Amino acid sequence: MGIVVVGTVAFDTVETPFGKGENVLGGSATYFATSASFFSDVSLVAVVGEDFPEEHVAFLRSRDINLDGLQRIAGKTFHWTGKYGYDLNEAQTLDTQLNVLLQFNPELPAAYRDTDVLFLANIDPELQLQVLDQVKQPKLTACDSMNFWISSKPEALKEVMKRVDIVVINEGEARMLTGEANLVRAARQIIALGCKRLVVKRGEYGVLMFTADTVFAAPALPLEEVFDPTGAGDTFAGGFMGYLANTGDFSEEGLRQALVFGSVMASFNVEDFSLNRLKRLSYPEIEQRYRSFKSLTTFRDIEPLA
Amino acid sequence: MGIVVVGTVAFDTVETPFGKGENVLGGSATYFATSASFFSDVSLVAVVGEDFPEEHVAFLRSRDINLDGLQRIAGKTFHWTGKYGYDLNEAQTLDTQLNVLLQFNPELPAAYRDTDVLFLANIDPELQLQVLDQVKQPKLTACDSMNFWISSKPEALKEVMKRVDIVVINEGEARMLTGEANLVRAARQIIALGCKRLVVKRGEYGVLMFTADTVFAAPALPLEEVFDPTGAGDTFAGGFMGYLANTGDFSEEGLRQALVFGSVMASFNVEDFSLNRLKRLSYPEIEQRYRSFKSLTTFRDIEPLA
């Protein structure tokens, strides 16, 4: 199966206690597509401006990502500027230049509309709905979002969450969306919107995946060197959905395995600025790190007391 | 094997968004001993005042806890008053009446000195050292501590950490003790003090266990009803050490299993105020919840890509 991802391709300027990246390649669709490309065919829908360099296009092509849906229009590419403190858990946004994103009209090329798997990265939920209207019979759909849309367009966002199979958001967003401090109750409310499954990202604490009657917890791998968490969530989603598109196994077991692959991809991404770590990543390294996750979490079955 | 625990027996006044407990039974040794008593023989060393009611003594006796080391002296029992907000992760201390704790002199009854397992709950590290001098040939020793001792008596605390096998502290304390934001590097520094193993408690995010060359992550069970986190850390330590004292298996595998039993016990404790949930807990419930932790965390081994 192949994946279509709709999201942003951007320039990021990021400062962490460990260094600074200026005008580096970023954007939710970029991270997602690059990560997913290790597992599956990926087709991307996004918009960039006239300033977007050929070098980045060439990189995405080198990952075999279909760019027929990458629109280039007059103006400047979306540019995000942010900063992380020592705890690296929350970015402080210093500046957002939406630029061409303001005119983004996610038209799917005809060949994309038959896609089996669709990921709606964080964009205006009204555009996400527009995309959902264009795909024919997807077997698996998922969406991300952010606090900005939760407060500004909650109804459109809830409509998206009603129509997709999986919602992937972070812990704070799940609480904000539901007004519920307890995460289990928040999950129940979000699933009641209509999606079957909720994946809650918790940064360095890992990920929880809820259905109406199951819960799975995958920790993050404790890392000695974390340079830049930018894009970790989208890289996670890319590994998760990419692995699912590869196997086509949407059972609870298949989804758990895919979730760990997503966590593996995120664990690599934070080890360097921008997509630098993914650029030099190989599949054997991914398999090796999957085994590290296994050994990180394995414990014995119950035995009778002595 | 049996366990000796040295710590506090106290009155707590606790307010959470879900209710209030006034002058309820609390204290690190109380939670630890009650939790450990589900798995092993426990002997307690602590001090209470004249106001400590027979009812609480009777409860501890009903758990078969040896109270020869429970000193009763003139004055009032240690009393902690605290409050939790909706996130329930951090207590706000409103008042601390040390009372008889100021005269605590942890003298171990002769029969206690042969103990195989020793847990030094959070008390003055100078008293913890005094206890370490009294035990003969323990097979396993562990300590807890808190931010107050990290800032006021760091040298004595580091001496304790040099002499015990396992340090059990929370995430913020590990960072504060080492001045290191990255938890993997903080763990490395604490293990370098001399203990072989560090257990880092992360509240609702679970627990990490480090040695010089291994790491294990156990998530907390996502719970729909969390009423009062007071004593969760000591209840965790009690289940962890209690299970180890029962099996005598101090291998990595044995320690991982024990850590999950600790997490099981903590997950029960937060479901009600004071020790109320532990008071009505049965061993079959413990086993059932261990299986819930197994199903919470299980995922498939790696398979070749399609």
Side-chain angles (χ1 to χ4, degrees):
Chain A
M1 296 184 188
I3 305 187
V4 167
V5 53
V6 183
T8 60
V9 170
F11 291 128
D12 286 344
T13 293
V14 182
E15 199 179 332
T16 82
F18 312 106
K20 190 170 177 177
E22 274 189 86
N23 293 303
V24 296
L25 178 60
S28 58
T30 314
Y31 280 105
F32 180 96
T34 303
S35 178
S37 72
F38 283 86
F39 306 95
S40 138
D41 290 336
V42 187
S43 301
L44 178 151
V45 180
V47 62
V48 294
E50 293 152 324
D51 57 349
F52 194 70
E54 191 47 41
E55 163 203 356
H56 294 333
V57 175
F59 162 66
L60 294 169
R61 276 199 215 290
S62 78
R63 295 294 323 158
D64 283 329
I65 297 165
N66 181 325
L67 300 178
D68 294 350
L70 181 64
Q71 308 161 15
R72 186 187 287 266
I73 63 176
K76 287 172 120 184
T77 301
F78 170 44
H79 191 155
W80 176 77
T81 303
K83 196 177 165 175
Y84 294 86
Y86 272 100
D87 85 348
L88 295 172
N89 275 323
E90 197 142 1
Q92 186 192 346
T93 292
L94 299 176
D95 188 39
T96 305
Q97 300 288 338
L98 292 174
N99 300 332
V100 294
L101 204 54
L102 289 167
Q103 292 126 62
F104 187 31
N105 177 25
E107 244 339 90
L108 268 57
Y112 282 28
R113 302 183 183 215
D114 293 313
T115 190
D116 286 319
V117 180
L118 173 69
F119 186 70
L120 301 165
N122 166 37
I123 52 171
D124 184 333
E126 287 172 8
L127 298 184
Q128 292 178 319
L129 288 171
Q130 222 174 287
V131 174
L132 282 169
D133 288 336
Q134 296 175 58
V135 290
K136 290 182 186 159
Q137 283 197 304
K139 296 193 170 70
L140 188 72
T141 55
C143 75
D144 191 0
S145 193
M146 72 181 294
N147 49 12
F148 180 75
W149 305 119
I150 294 172
S151 47
S152 63
K153 300 195 176 178
E155 291 317 312
L157 182 57
K158 283 176 184 176
E159 182 63 22
V160 175
M161 292 182 174
K162 182 181 171 179
R163 290 176 61 184
V164 297
D165 299 309
I166 309 178
V167 170
V168 183
I169 53 179
N170 72 37
E171 190 173 20
E173 290 158 0
R175 293 193 163 111
M176 183 181 172
L177 181 68
T178 58
E180 173 60 73
N182 181 286
L183 211 52
V184 178
R185 284 201 293 267
R188 213 180 288 287
Q189 282 190 36
I190 293 169
I191 287 167
L193 292 175
C195 61
K196 302 179 193 83
R197 202 171 273 273
L198 172 69
V199 173
V200 180
K201 299 175 285 183
R202 306 202 282 180
E204 67 168 310
Y205 301 110
V207 184
L208 290 174
M209 177 166 64
F210 294 93
T211 66
D213 43 32
T214 63
V215 53
F216 174 59
L221 194 69
L223 292 169
E224 192 159 349
E225 305 288 353
V226 177
F227 283 100
D228 176 13
T230 309
D234 296 302
T235 306
F236 160 80
F240 175 54
M241 303 289 287
Y243 192 78
L244 288 170
N246 178 279
T247 62
D249 176 0
F250 305 156
S251 68
E252 173 70 21
E253 284 210 321
L255 281 149
R256 286 180 173 212
Q257 185 159 36
L259 200 90
V260 175
F261 273 102
S263 304
V264 164
M265 296 307 287
S267 79
F268 283 117
N269 184 61
V270 301
E271 291 181 343
D272 204 340
F273 279 93
S274 182
L275 290 97
N276 295 345
R277 185 65 183 90
L278 298 186
K279 283 184 182 179
R280 58 174 195 275
L281 183 64
S282 70
Y283 201 78
E285 288 179 291
I286 294 172
E287 291 195 318
Q288 191 181 6
R289 192 157 286 185
Y290 187 97
R291 289 190 197 95
S292 298
F293 270 84
K294 196 75 191 162
S295 101
L296 174 70
T297 55
T298 299
F299 59 92
R300 282 200 294 235
D301 278 325
I302 200 165
E303 289 160 81
L305 265 197
Chain B
M1 296 185 188
I3 304 187
V4 167
V5 54
V6 183
T8 60
V9 169
F11 292 129
D12 287 343
T13 292
V14 183
E15 200 179 333
T16 83
F18 313 106
K20 191 170 177 176
E22 274 188 86
N23 292 304
V24 296
L25 178 60
S28 58
T30 313
Y31 281 104
F32 181 97
T34 303
S35 178
S37 72
F38 283 86
F39 306 95
S40 138
D41 291 335
V42 187
S43 301
L44 178 152
V45 180
V47 63
V48 293
E50 292 152 324
D51 57 350
F52 194 71
E54 191 47 42
E55 164 204 355
H56 294 332
V57 175
F59 162 66
L60 294 169
R61 275 198 215 290
S62 78
R63 297 292 324 157
D64 284 329
I65 297 164
N66 181 326
L67 300 178
D68 293 350
L70 181 63
Q71 308 162 16
R72 188 187 285 266
I73 63 176
K76 287 173 121 184
T77 300
F78 170 44
H79 191 155
W80 177 79
T81 303
K83 196 177 166 176
Y84 294 86
Y86 272 100
D87 86 348
L88 295 171
N89 275 323
E90 196 141 2
Q92 186 191 348
T93 292
L94 300 175
D95 187 40
T96 305
Q97 299 287 338
L98 291 174
N99 300 331
V100 295
L101 203 53
L102 289 166
Q103 292 124 64
F104 187 31
N105 178 25
E107 239 347 85
L108 269 57
Y112 282 29
R113 302 183 183 215
D114 293 312
T115 190
D116 285 318
V117 180
L118 173 70
F119 186 70
L120 301 165
N122 167 37
I123 51 170
D124 184 334
E126 287 172 8
L127 297 184
Q128 291 179 319
L129 288 171
Q130 221 174 289
V131 174
L132 282 168
D133 289 336
Q134 294 174 60
V135 291
K136 289 181 187 159
Q137 284 196 305
K139 296 194 171 71
L140 188 72
T141 56
C143 75
D144 191 0
S145 192
M146 72 180 294
N147 49 13
F148 180 75
W149 305 119
I150 293 171
S151 46
S152 64
K153 299 195 177 178
E155 291 317 312
L157 182 56
K158 285 177 183 176
E159 182 65 21
V160 174
M161 291 182 175
K162 182 181 170 177
R163 290 177 60 184
V164 297
D165 298 309
I166 309 178
V167 169
V168 182
I169 53 178
N170 73 36
E171 190 172 20
E173 289 158 1
R175 293 194 162 111
M176 182 180 173
L177 181 67
T178 59
E180 173 60 73
N182 180 286
L183 211 53
V184 179
R185 284 201 292 267
R188 213 181 287 287
Q189 281 190 37
I190 293 169
I191 288 168
L193 292 175
C195 61
K196 301 179 194 81
R197 202 170 272 272
L198 172 69
V199 173
V200 180
K201 299 175 284 184
R202 307 202 280 180
E204 67 167 312
Y205 300 110
V207 185
L208 290 174
M209 177 165 65
F210 293 93
T211 67
D213 43 32
T214 63
V215 52
F216 174 60
L221 195 70
L223 292 168
E224 193 159 347
E225 306 287 352
V226 177
F227 283 99
D228 177 12
T230 309
D234 296 302
T235 305
F236 160 80
F240 175 54
M241 303 290 286
Y243 193 78
L244 288 170
N246 178 280
T247 63
D249 176 0
F250 305 155
S251 67
E252 173 69 22
E253 285 210 319
L255 280 150
R256 287 180 172 211
Q257 185 158 37
L259 200 90
V260 175
F261 273 102
S263 304
V264 164
M265 297 307 287
S267 79
F268 282 118
N269 184 61
V270 301
E271 291 181 343
D272 203 341
F273 279 91
S274 183
L275 290 97
N276 295 345
R277 184 65 182 93
L278 298 185
K279 282 183 181 178
R280 57 175 195 274
L281 183 64
S282 71
Y283 201 78
E285 288 180 291
I286 294 171
E287 290 195 318
Q288 192 181 4
R289 192 156 285 185
Y290 187 96
R291 289 190 197 95
S292 299
F293 270 83
K294 197 74 191 162
S295 100
L296 174 70
T297 55
T298 299
F299 59 93
R300 282 201 293 237
D301 278 324
I302 200 166
E303 289 160 81
L305 266 197

